[in-house]
Amino acid sequence: MAMLSFPAPDFVIDYRDVAAQKDLLRERMAGLGWLTPRILAHLDDAEDFYLDQVAQVVMDRWSSGRVGLLGDAAFSSSPFSGGGTGMALVGAYLLAGEQAAAGWDPRAGFAGYEQRMRPFVEANQEIGRLHVQSRVVPGPDAEAAPEPDMEALMAVVERAINGVDLPDYAGVPGSEVPAGS
């Protein structure tokens, strides 16, 4: 099994055209050396070849009227952030709590949810972008990439780890657990 990645902001390829996907991978991986030629030589033999785009979902708002988005549909940070599951769980907790705290008024509940959640999401999305940038392999004639600003990186990590306040919604009308549950 091998996983290869490359930056492609202009990624446009028919997901049904596996031959074109393999050609694209060969083109983007050409000249990388090490075991890359051996891996690419087995592309046509692979029965479970898969190529897809790793992306983020960045939206101005996560709700409209009575419809709200949660998890990857609202704020996917990409697999490169490592924060998707945690964000989905925290988001579900905050969405339910803020809706209850707003007396189930969707507009007010969604606004509270987004206000509490957005800084946490933005920090996790930034980690995803930084991780992707760190994976870029410069060409043989390129200058070495500058060392990362570790102080700035740690500030982003701190925001991602501790960037959300989880209120105790116990006692908020409508947040009670039904008897017998």
Side-chain angles (χ1 to χ4, degrees):
M1 182 168 97
M3 179 178 157
L4 304 171
S5 64
F6 55 90
D10 56 345
F11 187 84
V12 178
I13 195 158
D14 185 347
Y15 71 92
R16 296 165 295 204
D17 190 346
V18 175
Q21 293 173 18
K22 290 178 180 180
D23 289 344
L24 175 65
L25 191 59
R26 284 184 183 100
E27 174 190 314
R28 295 294 179 109
M29 298 294 121
L32 284 184
W34 191 59
L35 296 176
T36 307
R38 287 178 52 196
I39 293 168
L40 295 175
H42 293 283
L43 275 182
D44 293 327
D45 302 328
E47 296 175 15
D48 55 354
F49 175 82
Y50 179 76
L51 178 73
D52 201 358
Q53 183 178 25
V54 175
Q56 287 187 335
V57 174
V58 179
M59 302 177 77
D60 293 335
R61 60 181 219 251
W62 304 328
S63 65
S64 179
R66 299 179 56 81
V67 177
L69 299 175
L70 178 68
D72 284 351
F75 43 72
S76 172
S77 58
S78 97
F80 283 107
S81 77
T85 301
M87 287 194 313
L89 292 170
V90 168
Y93 176 81
L94 289 175
L95 179 57
E98 290 299 312
Q99 287 294 344
W104 303 101
D105 171 10
R107 201 167 295 220
F110 287 138
Y113 153 67
E114 188 163 335
Q115 179 201 5
R116 289 185 182 276
M117 190 70 185
R118 189 165 284 279
F120 179 58
V121 166
E122 288 173 350
N124 277 279
Q125 288 181 329
E126 189 171 344
I127 288 172
R129 289 188 294 272
L130 290 170
H131 190 187
V132 166
Q133 291 168 2
S134 76
R135 308 285 302 159
V136 173
V137 177
D141 299 329
E143 289 184 31
E147 288 294 318
D149 179 347
M150 293 309 289
E151 196 170 306
L153 176 60
M154 293 315 296
V156 172
V157 170
E158 180 71 24
R159 280 184 20 237
I161 292 170
N162 299 314
V164 66
D165 176 37
L166 296 177
D168 182 355
Y169 292 108
V172 170
S175 67
E176 302 85 14
V177 176
S181 294

